[in-house]
Amino acid sequence: MFGYVGPERPELKVKHFALYRSVYCSLCETLRSFGFGAKALLNYDFTFAAMLCMSARGEEPEFYIGRCNTNPFIKERLIKKNSSLETAAAALLISSRHKLLDDLADEGFFKRAGAFLVLSFLIVPFKRASALLPDFDELAAEATASQRRFEESGEDNLDLACDPTARMLAGLFKEMAAGEEEARIMERLGYLIGRYVYLADAIDDLKEDIEKGRYNPIALRFRLNKASGEKEYAEAISEARAQLNHATGQAESCYRLLNISYFKEVLDNIIYLGLRARVQSLGGETKGREKHGQSLSGAGA
């Protein structure tokens, strides 16, 4: 489900990309503090969450020059660990844990085995993350259970299928806010981002899910199967993209209501350009290029 909320790099100035990379590497460093191996789960979505959290809370980033924990020969401009980085790191670990538990329940043998190994290997980081964000951990568990019920029922309503992920991120974004007024806006923004992420993932995995007989609400909604032609796929993807664009437009409206304290240029790029760029890349030959990137070109993290 990760990797869809990131910047449109060609439109970022070099200094702003360097700033984004600083947050990415700092999140990696924060994950490492939860326990060995946790940084392997690093992704773009929660780099965005860390930036938005610092800005929403008015938590001024303090920079320093440090060595990359992966490659000690590389020095990076990092941000000192703060509550926003810890919140984003803990949320990433909790989300990953519940996704792995879900894989353990219904994926094939090799994927179940992989999920079991990762869960076993990262017991300590997962426990520390749950202790830091117990409410979000409970919300993520509820969302995963709801998602499983929808999958078992063969739910083909896209709004209902998106709802568990959307509610989970709504809860996280609300917790990231500093005040009551902003919390309402952040909660709505989180819901829309969650809806966006779920739909994007469903489009990206559409053909693979059909081939492997896995649940996909778009396939069910448009009655797609292995015998479906390219025209039928294109029509289904076009409709799903329309819903993605609608969610993106609403997210932009919510974002405009926020008082952005830090990282405005990068956050603007992600909200106004990055989200829409991902929509256009989905369902074509670009599958996988942006989704699962775990490092940035030239980044030491």
Side-chain angles (χ1 to χ4, degrees):
M1 117 183 183
F2 303 127
Y4 297 104
V5 185
E8 178 65 356
R9 283 182 54 181
E11 299 298 328
L12 272 181
K13 291 182 179 179
V14 172
K15 65 179 181 179
H16 295 145
F17 177 68
L19 185 61
Y20 179 79
R21 194 173 75 179
S22 293
V23 181
Y24 181 89
C25 293
S26 300
L27 182 59
C28 177
E29 186 72 18
T30 305
L31 282 167
R32 189 170 72 105
S33 71
F34 279 79
F36 182 76
K39 67 179 185 177
L41 300 173
L42 180 64
N43 69 67
Y44 299 140
D45 293 346
F46 285 87
T47 303
F48 165 74
M51 299 179 79
L52 185 63
C53 191
M54 276 185 269
S55 187
R57 291 178 178 176
E59 190 166 20
E60 184 175 0
E62 295 183 51
F63 293 94
Y64 71 99
I65 301 299
R67 293 193 180 275
C68 171
N69 60 67
T70 300
N71 186 346
F73 295 103
I74 295 177
K75 289 185 178 181
E76 294 288 351
R77 184 174 180 237
L78 302 173
I79 299 171
K80 289 183 180 179
K81 187 166 67 174
N82 56 36
S83 68
S84 296
L85 284 168
E86 286 190 314
T87 295
L92 168 55
L93 286 165
I94 289 168
S95 301
S96 299
R97 175 175 174 267
H98 288 288
K99 176 63 172 69
L100 288 165
L101 288 171
D102 189 54
D103 288 346
L104 198 61
D106 65 1
E107 290 290 351
F109 172 78
F110 291 107
K111 197 161 186 178
R112 287 203 309 270
F116 178 78
L117 286 173
V118 175
L119 284 165
S120 301
F121 190 64
L122 297 179
I123 289 175
V124 172
F126 289 147
K127 283 186 176 180
R128 288 176 177 170
S130 298
L132 187 65
L133 296 178
D135 291 342
F136 180 66
D137 190 25
E138 184 177 343
L139 183 59
E142 291 174 0
T144 303
S146 295
Q147 196 71 61
R148 177 166 292 281
R149 287 194 295 270
F150 283 139
E151 292 178 8
E152 290 173 349
S153 69
E155 178 60 63
D156 67 353
N157 184 302
L158 295 183
D159 290 332
L160 290 177
C162 292
D163 192 62
T165 300
R167 284 189 290 106
M168 182 178 74
L169 289 189
L172 173 62
F173 277 43
K174 183 179 180 181
E175 188 162 335
M176 285 160 43
E180 185 177 339
E181 178 65 26
E182 192 168 64
R184 288 196 291 270
I185 301 169
M186 288 284 284
E187 184 177 22
R188 180 59 180 167
L189 178 60
Y191 187 91
L192 293 165
I193 293 293
R195 179 179 173 81
Y196 173 94
V197 167
Y198 184 86
L199 276 174
D201 193 54
I203 296 173
D204 211 14
D205 289 343
L206 181 58
K207 289 190 176 182
E208 184 179 330
D209 286 344
I210 290 172
E211 285 295 320
K212 296 186 177 181
R214 295 190 302 223
Y215 173 80
N216 189 299
I218 298 173
L220 293 171
R221 170 70 178 81
F222 294 95
R223 305 295 186 264
L224 298 176
N225 53 51
K226 293 180 181 180
S228 298
E230 288 300 319
K231 182 180 179 181
E232 293 166 295
Y233 274 104
E235 289 174 352
I237 289 171
S238 178
E239 175 62 28
R241 277 179 175 169
Q243 294 208 29
L244 268 176
N245 280 321
H246 181 66
T248 301
Q250 288 188 309
E252 290 170 0
S253 297
C254 282
Y255 174 76
R256 290 190 192 100
L257 298 175
L258 294 173
N259 180 23
I260 301 299
S261 304
Y262 308 107
F263 311 112
K264 178 172 172 54
E265 293 83 2
V266 184
L267 290 170
D268 283 358
N269 177 286
I270 293 171
I271 293 292
Y272 298 125
L273 300 176
L275 295 183
R276 291 193 182 274
R278 296 303 179 280
V279 173
Q280 294 307 310
S281 72
L282 292 169
E285 296 303 317
T286 56
K287 179 185 185 304
R289 291 183 190 172
E290 299 290 346
K291 176 182 175 185
H292 298 297
Q294 294 297 299
S295 62
L296 298 176
S297 176

